[in-house]
Amino acid sequence: MAGYFAKQSSLHVAIVPDGNGRWATARGLPRTAGHRAGAEAVRRTIEAAPGLGIRTLTIHALSCDNWQRPAAEVQAILACVGEFLAAESAAAARAGVRVSVLGRRDRLPAEVLRAVERAEQVTAAGRRLHLRLALDYSARDALVAALASAVDNLPRGLLPTRLGVARAVGEDVDLLVRTGGEQRLGDFLLWECAYAELLFLPTPWPEFSPEHLAAAVVEFHRRERRFGGLPGAPANEARA
Ligand code: IPE
Ligand code: MG
């Protein structure tokens, strides 16, 4: 298996950790118990990622559209993320994990915002793994903001280029994994996933293990990525 991991050792893996609620309901537990179990799966995933050649891990914690859920559930998810960050930041810093949080900050409860800022500060020097948590995040909003900043940085009348937008949005995703059995992207990393390999797993997120992650990376290395080119041929320089 080591050969697989050597093939590309700076992967950007994105995860939609879906299925927490159904997992809990199936066990007669409240949905919030699923989110708590999901936080454990996030911790295991972060620990396993660097050893599998993953350099960047973007995890969808809460989308802007999740505010449509009952307020108590949204607050429980936010509290779970805040507690996770507060509890794990010191260990993350020691393990070389840099944490950053994507998304809106103006709707976060004060305590969660403090945990976010503190986690970003204490882990800023991490170089082993970049953990990006998408919290109150919308890819469409992120794209609008990226376009606006790309336009702002140009002389009047010039339109932004792909490169300009790509720089403002962030790095491309290599592999996107969605657990929980549903097969869609939602409003998550829409630009960055243009050439991502997609993997949909039936496993509910609370059951996701380092073995699932390792198998996902093996599956990624089996895929032939052509970026619109032909099999086996070296790609010409991408359009800027
Ligand atoms: C995903 O699990 C976790 C978050 C959205 C934070 P869900 O809460 O969507 O669980 P299901 O899809 O209802 O099972
Ligand atoms: Mg869901």
Side-chain angles (χ1 to χ4, degrees):
M1 214 137 97
Y4 279 118
F5 300 137
K7 198 165 145 190
Q8 187 185 343
S9 59
S10 56
L11 295 179
H12 180 186
V13 172
I15 299 185
V16 181
D18 199 11
N20 291 351
R22 282 165 286 161
W23 178 87
T25 305
R27 280 158 186 74
L29 299 169
R31 290 176 58 85
T32 49
H35 299 311
R36 275 198 299 279
E40 277 307 300
V42 169
R43 207 177 42 69
R44 295 194 292 269
T45 302
I46 296 166
E47 265 175 30
L52 298 170
I54 299 170
R55 185 65 65 86
T56 306
L57 185 63
T58 305
I59 301 186
H60 206 1
L62 186 80
S63 77
C64 292
D65 290 331
N66 287 145
W67 288 94
Q68 296 172 45
R69 297 185 181 195
E73 176 163 348
V74 176
Q75 294 309 319
I77 294 171
L78 285 167
C80 212
V81 174
E83 282 159 25
F84 178 84
L85 288 173
E88 296 293 328
S89 288
R94 281 196 300 277
V97 177
R98 172 158 73 102
V99 178
S100 40
V101 174
L102 321 175
R104 288 177 66 159
R105 299 196 175 192
D106 58 309
R107 298 191 285 196
L108 300 181
E111 206 173 326
V112 176
L113 181 59
R114 266 199 303 279
V116 164
E117 289 172 344
R118 178 114 186 92
E120 289 181 332
Q121 271 163 20
V122 304
T123 65
R127 293 290 173 268
R128 205 159 150 256
L129 176 71
H130 186 190
L131 171 68
R132 308 190 321 152
L133 282 183
L135 190 59
D136 202 0
Y137 169 86
S138 152
R140 289 177 166 182
D141 288 355
L143 261 176
V144 171
L147 273 169
S149 84
V151 169
D152 272 357
N153 291 327
L154 285 172
R156 253 177 100 83
L158 284 187
L159 292 172
T161 59
R162 281 185 176 208
L163 199 58
V165 177
R167 281 201 184 113
V169 170
E171 59 182 290
D172 276 3
V173 171
D174 296 304
L175 169 67
L176 175 119
V177 179
R178 182 179 188 130
T179 61
E182 285 172 356
Q183 304 193 3
R184 76 175 96 82
L185 220 45
D187 190 4
F188 188 48
L189 305 178
L190 294 176
W191 175 287
E192 299 92 314
C193 281
Y195 285 104
E197 295 298 326
L198 308 179
L199 185 61
F200 298 101
L201 301 176
T203 315
W205 177 249
E207 288 176 13
F208 191 81
S209 68
E211 289 70 35
H212 289 107
L213 185 65
V217 172
V218 169
E219 168 63 21
F220 168 80
H221 288 305
R222 273 198 201 107
R223 307 250 179 117
E224 187 180 23
R225 303 184 83 194
R226 294 193 294 275
F227 300 94
L230 294 177
N236 294 323
E237 272 307 296
R239 280 171 298 166

